[in-house]
Amino acid sequence: RKEVEQDPGPFNVPEGATVAFNCTYSNSASQSFFWYRQDCRKEPKLLMSVYSSGNEDGRFTAQLNRASQYISLLIRDSKLSDSATYLCVVNLGTYKYIFGTGTRLKVLA
Amino acid sequence: GAGVSQSPSNKVTEKGKDVELRCDPISGHTALYWYRQSLGQGLEFLIYFQGNSAPDKSGLPSDRFSAERTGGSVSTLTIQRTQQEDSAVYLCASSLDGLAGGAETQYFGPGTRLLVL
């Protein structure tokens, strides 16, 4: 079983739609969680950290479920510019970050 | 300010040749990471440097891979006797000090796309 698993997609959604991605992790000792965004042929960039209480940044909401060992990302009112691959990242409290393979999102006009 | 830079941006080489990839981290960042991203794969950890401490080389896939970091700043990743399976994007990232228990933001460079023919 992979340490971090994501549905590769693609998720094709119309502009304005709400879309959600889940990511599961296998190590219950995981301490920090992140969502990174990676555009085609570009480097990953931090989208948001994921906190235990859940957190929101504009149209983006991230949640953590420790009991079921998954994190989620919700994007409301999707824009064309949201089209990208979203990487789930988990950390065990050290300098090692475990990256998922990413979920590809395509927002269609 | 300047972000993480990497060179070259693209490298095409022949099987068996050696290649050297360079990373310039953000000024003041003492933690530096190398990752490899193959098509359809997640980022694979290769090596981690933190200040003057001994690097964690546990992710290097074979002894053909080596890396060094001079003066606590610029890092080079060297692949000797390249093989076709080495073809990938090699990404470098830096963070402030790598000591915040995994809570730091990593800033990535644009990567080097390596193609081994």
Side-chain angles (χ1 to χ4, degrees):
Chain A
R1 183 185 170 186
K2 288 182 181 177
E3 291 183 87
V4 176
E5 292 204 63
Q6 296 183 252
D7 181 340
F11 284 60
N12 296 322
V13 302
E15 267 188 295
T18 296
V19 61
F21 313 132
N22 276 350
C23 161
T24 58
Y25 59 93
S26 60
N27 194 324
S28 58
S30 300
Q31 295 192 16
S32 304
F33 309 87
F34 309 86
W35 284 102
Y36 275 71
R37 171 191 169 131
Q38 186 171 26
D39 291 290
C40 188
R41 299 180 69 82
K42 298 284 189 182
E43 71 273 21
K45 292 184 180 177
L46 179 67
L47 178 66
M48 57 198 304
S49 302
V50 187
Y51 303 122
S52 296
S53 54
N55 47 301
E56 190 174 305
D57 183 2
R59 299 181 292 108
F60 298 83
T61 301
Q63 292 198 310
L64 167 64
N65 185 317
R66 284 191 184 273
S68 301
Q69 294 184 202
Y70 75 84
I71 67 173
S72 63
L73 177 67
L74 181 81
I75 305 175
R76 288 182 300 278
D77 188 23
S78 300
K79 311 289 184 194
L80 293 175
S81 57
D82 294 334
S83 297
T85 296
Y86 291 84
L87 305 176
C88 171
V89 185
V90 170
N91 184 288
L92 296 176
T94 69
Y95 52 80
K96 279 196 181 168
Y97 295 78
I98 312 298
F99 286 76
T101 54
T103 297
R104 201 161 148 223
L105 171 67
K106 285 185 182 179
V107 181
L108 308 171
Chain B
V4 178
S5 61
Q6 291 187 244
S7 61
S9 51
N10 292 282
K11 177 72 178 177
V12 181
T13 190
E14 293 178 348
K15 179 181 169 182
K17 296 280 179 70
D18 297 352
V19 295
E20 205 170 84
L21 313 179
R22 176 187 167 109
C23 171
D24 251 296
I26 292 172
S27 178
H29 280 192
T30 60
L32 186 148
Y33 309 75
W34 281 99
Y35 295 91
R36 177 168 73 174
Q37 187 173 32
S38 304
L39 196 62
Q41 303 296 312
L43 272 71
E44 176 190 2
F45 168 80
L46 297 178
I47 189 168
Y48 163 76
F49 295 91
Q50 201 292 318
N52 296 320
S53 302
D56 177 352
K57 305 179 182 181
S58 61
L60 294 178
S62 78
D63 59 7
R64 296 186 295 105
F65 288 72
S66 62
E68 62 177 27
R69 189 177 184 192
T70 52
S73 181
V74 171
S75 176
T76 54
L77 175 70
T78 301
I79 309 174
Q80 294 178 308
R81 305 180 303 282
T82 52
Q83 303 294 312
Q84 288 179 332
E85 61 263 28
D86 298 335
S87 298
V89 178
Y90 289 82
L91 290 159
C92 174
S94 71
S95 66
L96 196 56
D97 62 19
L99 301 175
E104 284 186 349
T105 299
Q106 293 185 75
Y107 296 87
F108 284 84
T112 293
R113 278 171 182 74
L114 175 66
L115 177 60
V116 182
L117 301 176

